Amino acid sequence: MTKQNVVVSHPDAEVMNMAISVDVANSSIFTAVAEKPPVGPPGYISISRRRFVNLKNLDSFNGAERINSWVDSMRASSPTHLKSSSFLKENWIRQHPSALDMFEQIIDASKGKQIVMFLDYDGTLSPIVEDPDRAFMSDAMRKTVKKVARSFPTAIVSGRCRDKVYKFVRLAELYYAGSHGMDIKGPAKGSKYMKGSQGVLCQPASEFLPMIDEVYKLLVDKTKSTPGAKVENNKFCLSVHFRCVDEKKWNELSLQVRSVLKEYPMLRLTQGRKVLEIRPTIKWDKGKALEFLLESLGYAKCTDVFPVYIGDDRTDEDAFKVLRERGQGFGILVSKIPKETNATYSLQEPAEVMDFLQRLVEWKRKTVRSHAML
């Protein structure tokens, strides 16, 4: 059979620019995702629909072109703009199969190793909602996460302020890494995986606190003229939510945010799902937080550790990448749409995340029982 490869650059992507083979042979579930092919090689049809520019590269543009690039990037983070073909989705699923469908293979790969769980919050344990202050997790999800923490070392890794995430989750036996991993604290009580007193473990951006507070006040004042805009202080970083902003006002909001940040070169601007993120320029992210937590748990150089990271946002890609580079464990992307990702598997929504976690807990329970009977 002749294989026809297509390079797709999706118009709204965050989504992807990946090679698709119509006749795809089954490969190992732990094979790394192929690098993006160059545009126009022999045997590929290049379908370039819209140029996508990352926010961090926007300083090379001027005037109207820069403004349009900002807004294109903001549109790219909006699932409401996505129109993914069934062809694209089916082939993406072949590369990133459902973690539920592959559960037995996942368990086989983890046997004899210590599973360590890392969980994003928004869009993973709770649904994405218009008001970020109302992103509550269900009681069923909380009970499930509590059981997970009894079975495995477990951490919540979120862009949110650590204290705010804790108020949502309300489980003292977890590790919490807030502000994209820049504020890490160990379990307050009740975890058999605690090491020492487990107070605040890591705050690599402490010196930026006065600057973050100052910029927060400026952004609140600057964006108050844009209906629906919400600035959230996440202690070591800031979030400007535009989920409730009319798309016609996105230009205006972009200019407002950039006008404030131009005076603060030590802060950088990135984007997530309908949110602009302002963070210190230090080399720290969710991937660094994952490595720090593994080290804190005593698993830094262990070959018998199996980290599992579940998340839905671009910022989670740093953690997925670390796992691929370590060659240990795997990442699971939570998404209903195809996205370029370093994750190995996928789940579609928080309900599937809960299903996966419940299966993991049940497997652990049966394993402990069978060992007790020997």
Side-chain angles (χ1 to χ4, degrees):
M1 179 181 294
T2 301
K3 294 183 180 181
Q4 178 63 68
N5 296 304
V6 182
V7 177
V8 178
S9 181
H10 197 279
D12 298 303
E14 172 181 27
V15 184
M16 66 174 68
N17 178 14
M18 73 176 190
I20 300 172
S21 177
V22 176
D23 180 24
V24 181
N26 290 328
S27 58
S28 169
I29 58 174
F30 294 105
T31 300
V33 176
E35 294 291 322
K36 297 180 196 176
V39 176
Y44 286 84
I45 301 172
S46 181
I47 308 176
S48 180
R49 297 181 183 171
R50 180 185 296 175
R51 180 178 58 176
F52 173 71
V53 181
N54 196 303
L55 283 175
K56 66 183 180 182
N57 298 322
L58 291 178
D59 288 332
S60 62
F61 293 86
N62 293 302
E65 185 175 7
R66 178 186 292 186
I67 294 172
N68 290 337
S69 295
W70 293 338
V71 177
D72 281 349
S73 290
M74 293 166 76
R75 286 196 184 102
S77 69
S78 169
T80 59
H81 284 83
L82 183 66
K83 295 179 181 178
S84 177
S85 70
S86 58
F87 170 78
L88 182 64
K89 188 168 185 178
E90 287 171 5
N91 282 277
W92 185 82
I93 287 294
R94 292 185 185 183
Q95 289 196 11
H96 309 284
S98 166
L100 294 174
D101 293 342
M102 304 300 289
F103 186 78
E104 294 303 323
Q105 290 89 332
I106 292 170
I107 292 303
D108 287 343
S110 70
K111 285 182 178 177
K113 301 176 182 179
Q114 173 62 61
I115 293 176
V116 183
M117 296 299 301
F118 298 90
L119 304 168
D120 183 24
Y121 183 74
D122 293 274
T124 299
L125 299 181
S126 72
I128 296 293
V129 295
E130 289 191 353
D131 183 354
D133 290 333
R134 300 190 63 79
F136 304 118
M137 66 191 302
S138 67
D139 290 340
M141 180 68 86
R142 182 175 293 103
K143 290 177 182 177
T144 298
V145 174
K146 186 178 181 70
K147 291 177 181 178
V148 170
R150 289 175 179 171
S151 304
F152 316 100
T154 303
I156 305 293
V157 186
S158 172
R160 298 265 200 162
C161 167
R162 174 171 55 80
D163 291 339
K164 186 174 291 186
V165 174
Y166 182 82
K167 288 178 181 178
F168 279 135
V169 179
R170 304 199 307 272
L171 295 174
E173 53 266 57
L174 305 178
Y175 287 80
Y176 288 88
S179 303
H180 297 289
M182 289 183 285
D183 188 9
I184 303 176
K185 187 176 181 179
K189 63 178 182 179
S191 174
K192 61 183 177 183
Y193 303 105
M194 286 177 65
K195 302 287 184 181
S197 60
Q198 296 299 309
V200 174
L201 301 178
C202 183
Q203 291 183 336
S206 295
E207 64 185 280
F208 288 89
L209 280 175
M211 184 185 298
I212 292 291
D213 288 338
E214 182 178 317
V215 172
Y216 169 72
K217 293 173 184 177
L218 291 172
L219 284 172
V220 169
D221 183 64
K222 196 74 173 180
T223 62
K224 64 184 179 182
S225 62
T226 303
K230 181 179 179 65
V231 184
E232 184 178 14
N233 190 336
N234 291 311
K235 190 171 182 177
F236 293 101
C237 59
L238 302 171
S239 300
V240 181
H241 299 274
F242 58 92
R243 185 169 297 277
C244 297
V245 175
D246 189 313
E247 189 171 334
K248 295 176 182 178
K249 294 284 187 178
W250 288 5
N251 272 353
E252 178 183 315
L253 182 63
S254 296
L255 288 171
Q256 290 168 345
V257 173
R258 298 291 293 196
S259 68
V260 171
L261 293 184
K262 69 181 181 181
E263 304 298 330
Y264 296 88
M266 296 302 291
L267 300 178
R268 62 190 175 105
L269 179 64
T270 59
Q271 66 185 46
R273 294 179 65 178
K274 286 203 172 178
V275 62
L276 299 176
E277 306 273 10
I278 295 97
R279 289 187 269 173
T281 54
I282 63 171
K283 293 183 179 179
W284 196 268
D285 52 38
K286 289 184 177 182
K288 295 289 187 184
L290 182 150
E291 292 180 312
F292 178 86
L293 283 165
L294 286 176
E295 183 176 354
S296 299
L297 286 162
Y299 299 127
K301 299 185 183 300
C302 292
T303 58
D304 59 350
V305 64
F306 199 82
V308 178
Y309 190 108
I310 309 178
D312 75 309
D313 197 69
R314 282 184 176 181
T315 57
D316 298 310
E317 290 297 327
D318 295 313
F320 297 154
K321 184 178 180 181
V322 164
L323 293 182
R324 282 206 177 272
E325 291 174 348
R326 290 173 65 98
Q328 292 179 310
F330 56 85
I332 301 176
L333 175 67
V334 184
S335 178
K336 290 184 177 181
I337 60 177
K339 296 181 182 179
E340 184 179 12
T341 182
N342 284 298
T344 305
Y345 301 107
S346 63
L347 293 168
Q348 293 206 13
E349 57 190 356
E352 288 197 354
V353 173
M354 185 166 67
D355 190 359
F356 177 83
L357 295 177
Q358 288 172 342
R359 292 190 192 187
L360 203 58
V361 168
E362 180 62 17
W363 167 79
K364 178 69 173 182
R365 185 187 66 80
K366 290 181 178 179
T367 300
V368 170
R369 177 186 292 178
S370 64
H371 287 171
M373 293 175 64
L374 293 177

